[in-house]
Amino acid sequence: MANLKFIRDRILSVKNTKKITEAMRLVAAAKVRRAQEQVTATRPFADRLAQVLYGLQNRLRFEDVDLPLLKQREVKTVGLLVISGDRGLCGAYNSNVIRRAENRAKELQQENLNYKYVLVGRKASQYFQRRDQPINAKYTGLEQVPTAAEASMIADELLSLFLSESVDRVELVYTKFVSLISSRPVVQTLLPLTAQGLEAQDDEIFRLTSRGGNFEVTREKVAPQVTPFPRDMIFEQDPVQILDALLPLYLNNQLLRALQESAASELAARMTAMNNASDNASELISSLTLSYNKARQASITQEILEVVGGAEALSG
C-alpha cells in the first residue's frame, strides 16, 4: 500500500511539473511574437537609414573619408561584446555563446593581442567574473524583448572604448537565429566600420506561426528599397558631417538587431527545452501509471489470495 501511495504522489508531482513547463513554453512563444512585432516596427527606420547611407556612399568614396569610426589602426587590444541571457532553462543557449567567446579570446591570445569583455546577460557576467577575466562593463536585467534605448546604452559604452583608443577593434559574439530548433553563436566585427559593411543587404523577418497545434517559424526575405540621391541634390551640410552623424545610428541599429536575434534564439531555445520537458513528463506519467496499475493489480490479487486462503482454512 505504501508503494501505491509513493507512485500516486510521484504521478501528481510530475503532472504539476508538466503544467509548469507547458506554461513556460507558452510564455516564451508569446515573447517571441512580441520580439517579432518589434523587429517589424523597427524596419522602416532601418530601411530609411540604409537608403541614406547608400546615397552617401554614391556621393563619397568612404575609403578617402577621415572619420573616427571608419579609421583602421594597428590592433593591440580587442573589445569582445558577449550577449547571453539572464536566465537558464533554455538548453545550451548560454553555454554555446560563452564557449564561443572563450575560444575567440584564446585565438586573440595566440595572436599576442589583449582583450576586454563587455558582457550582456547575467549568465556570461557570472561565468567570466568567477574566472577573473578582464571585464570592462556588465549589463544585466535587460528586457527579454530588447529596446532601442538598451541598444543605445551599450553602443555608447563601445563608442567610448573605441574613440578613447582603449580598444582598437570591437567584436560582437552573439547567437544568430536560424530556426525554432537551431541557432549558432557567431563573431562579427562592429568597429571600426567598413564601407562593405555599410552596403544595403537583403534581410530576413522571422514570423512565429502555428500549424497542427505546433509552433513553427517561417522566413520572409526582405530587400531594402534603396535608390541613389538625385544628382542635383544640394546638401545643407557637408556630406562627411552627415555621415559622421549617421554612423553611430547605424551602429545602434546593428546592435539592436543582434540583441533581437539573441533574444529570439534564447526564447526559441527555451520553447524547445520546455516542449521536450513536457514530452518527457508525459512519457514518465504513462510509465508511472502503468507501474501503478500493475502494483494495484498485484495488491488486489494478493488480497484475493489471502481471502481464498482464509476461507479454505476455515472450511478445512
Side-chain angles (χ1 to χ4, degrees), residues 32 35 93 143-146 175 258-268:
V32 169
Y93 166 78
E143 295 289 336
Q144 278 203 303
V145 180
T175 306
L259 289 170
Q260 289 170 340
E261 288 221 21
S262 295
S265 299
E266 180 186 357
L267 293 169

Side-chain angles (χ1 to χ4, degrees), residues 58-85:
N58 286 337
R59 286 292 186 93
L60 301 169
R61 294 182 59 187
F62 282 3
E63 294 80 0
D64 298 334
V65 174
D66 185 18
L67 291 177
L69 297 186
L70 297 175
K71 186 177 181 180
Q72 303 280 343
R73 56 178 182 254
E74 182 184 358
V75 178
K76 298 179 181 178
T77 304
V78 177
L80 292 175
L81 173 62
V82 184
I83 301 178
S84 70

Side-chain angles (χ1 to χ4, degrees), residues 92-110:
Y93 166 78
N94 289 309
S95 59
N96 285 342
V97 73
I98 289 173
R99 188 181 306 114
R100 185 67 183 91
E102 275 191 317
N103 291 338
R104 182 55 183 157
K106 291 176 182 177
E107 292 171 1
L108 293 174
Q109 285 181 319
Q110 291 174 358

Side-chain angles (χ1 to χ4, degrees), residues 7-269:
I7 297 176
R8 190 164 56 243
D9 291 345
R10 184 79 186 280
I11 291 174
L12 181 61
S13 175
V14 175
K15 284 182 177 179
N16 291 335
T17 302
K18 182 181 177 182
K19 290 179 183 178
I20 295 172
T21 57
E22 186 63 20
M24 292 181 67
R25 182 179 75 92
L26 295 175
V27 169
K31 289 181 178 179
V32 169
R33 290 187 187 278
R34 283 176 54 200
Q36 162 192 312
E37 291 170 358
Q38 189 189 52
V39 170
T40 305
T42 57
R43 275 217 61 82
F45 173 78
D47 289 344
R48 188 61 178 171
L49 181 61
Q51 184 171 355
V52 174
L53 288 173
Y54 178 77
L56 289 172
Q57 189 176 22
N58 286 337
R59 286 292 186 93
L60 301 169
R61 294 182 59 187
F62 282 3
E63 294 80 0
D64 298 334
V65 174
D66 185 18
L67 291 177
L69 297 186
L70 297 175
K71 186 177 181 180
Q72 303 280 343
R73 56 178 182 254
E74 182 184 358
V75 178
K76 298 179 181 178
T77 304
V78 177
L80 292 175
L81 173 62
V82 184
I83 301 178
S84 70
D86 282 335
R87 302 172 182 84
L89 297 178
C90 50
Y93 166 78
N94 289 309
S95 59
N96 285 342
V97 73
I98 289 173
R99 188 181 306 114
R100 185 67 183 91
E102 275 191 317
N103 291 338
R104 182 55 183 157
K106 291 176 182 177
E107 292 171 1
L108 293 174
Q109 285 181 319
Q110 291 174 358
E111 297 173 12
N112 294 321
L113 298 178
N114 298 319
Y115 62 89
K116 296 180 180 179
Y117 283 116
V118 176
L119 304 173
V120 177
R122 187 172 292 109
K123 293 298 182 180
S125 299
Q126 292 174 343
Y127 181 88
F128 289 111
Q129 193 169 10
R130 285 196 298 264
R131 287 157 178 79
D132 295 325
Q133 291 294 307
I135 300 173
N136 194 84
K138 298 181 293 183
Y139 299 90
T140 59
L142 304 183
E143 295 289 336
Q144 278 203 303
V145 180
T147 64
E150 292 171 342
S152 179
M153 174 178 62
I154 299 170
D156 288 344
E157 175 67 24
L158 299 178
L159 287 172
S160 175
L161 287 173
F162 184 75
L163 295 178
S164 65
E165 299 189 4
S166 296
V167 300
D168 304 300
R169 187 171 71 220
V170 176
E171 295 182 355
L172 168 64
V173 185
Y174 74 105
T175 306
K176 186 173 181 60
F177 184 80
V178 178
S179 69
L180 199 59
I181 59 173
S182 176
S183 59
R184 68 176 186 273
V186 297
V187 179
Q188 172 187 334
T189 299
L190 278 182
L191 292 171
L193 297 170
T194 61
Q196 291 76 20
L198 298 176
E199 293 176 354
Q201 300 175 353
D202 288 351
D203 203 354
E204 286 183 328
I205 292 181
F206 302 97
R207 302 187 185 278
L208 180 65
T209 60
S210 58
R211 178 179 298 177
N214 296 319
F215 291 115
E216 65 178 26
V217 169
T218 59
R219 298 185 180 201
E220 178 184 344
K221 280 280 187 181
V222 179
Q225 301 296 323
V226 292
T227 55
F229 291 151
R231 292 188 175 276
D232 57 351
M233 177 178 285
I234 299 176
F235 294 95
E236 291 186 1
Q237 289 180 299
D238 185 349
V240 175
Q241 293 180 342
I242 299 175
L243 181 62
D244 190 29
L246 289 179
L247 289 180
L249 292 178
Y250 176 79
L251 177 64
N252 287 359
N253 187 68
Q254 290 291 98
L255 187 53
L256 177 59
R257 179 57 191 266
L259 289 170
Q260 289 170 340
E261 288 221 21
S262 295
S265 299
E266 180 186 357
L267 293 169

Side-chain angles (χ1 to χ4, degrees), residues 269-281:
R270 184 167 289 112
M271 282 177 59
T272 301
M274 293 302 101
N275 186 64
N276 292 338
S278 297
D279 291 344
N280 292 338

